[in-house]
């Protein structure tokens, strides 16, 4: 069996995987290392003053993960539109034993 992944497949999967890891793992670890607050909203005291904010804006993290999903969606649409390459060995008839 031959490897059917093309350069477009590798680029799309690599880019989406890198965006997923960046948006979920790397930024999550940075948030943990930065300390509290762990919530995506700013913490306020009873007077309404902001006493702590997250290190990385949650909309940025969400945007990176959505970008990874969009890359996968575009790649999936590309795979649906392009015809499958058939291998000559796949088309050859094999005699039964």
């Amino acid at each position: 069996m031959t490897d059917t992944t093309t350069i477009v497949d590798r680029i799309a999967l690599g880019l989406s995987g890198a965006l997923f890891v960046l948006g979920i793992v790397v930024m999550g670890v940075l948030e943990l290392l930065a300390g509290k607050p762990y919530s995506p909203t700013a913490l306020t005291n009873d007077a309404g003053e902001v006493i702590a904010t997250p290190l990385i804006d949650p909309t940025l993290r969400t945007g990176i993960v959505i970008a990874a999903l969009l890359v996968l969606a575009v790649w999936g649409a590309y795979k649906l539109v392009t015809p499958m390459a058939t291998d000559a060995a796949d088309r050859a008839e094999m005699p039964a034993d």
Side-chain angles (χ1 to χ4, degrees), residues 39-70:
S39 70
T41 59
L43 294 178
T44 58
N45 60 11
D46 292 335
E49 299 175 62
V50 175
I51 56 173
T53 58
L55 176 68
I56 300 169
D57 190 23
T59 56
L60 177 66
R61 288 183 70 184
T62 305
I64 290 175
V65 172
I66 289 173
L69 289 172
L70 286 175

Side-chain angles (χ1 to χ4, degrees), residues 18-31:
L19 288 173
F20 273 126
V21 169
L22 175 68
I24 296 171
V25 178
V26 173
M27 290 186 175
V29 169
L30 287 176
E31 284 289 338

Side-chain angles (χ1 to χ4, degrees), residues 3-4 7 10 16 20 29 33 36-37 45 55 86 89 93:
D3 185 22
T4 59
I7 191 72
R10 291 181 184 176
S16 67
F20 273 126
V29 169
L33 293 177
K36 291 188 178 185
N45 60 11
L55 176 68
T86 56
E93 292 184 19

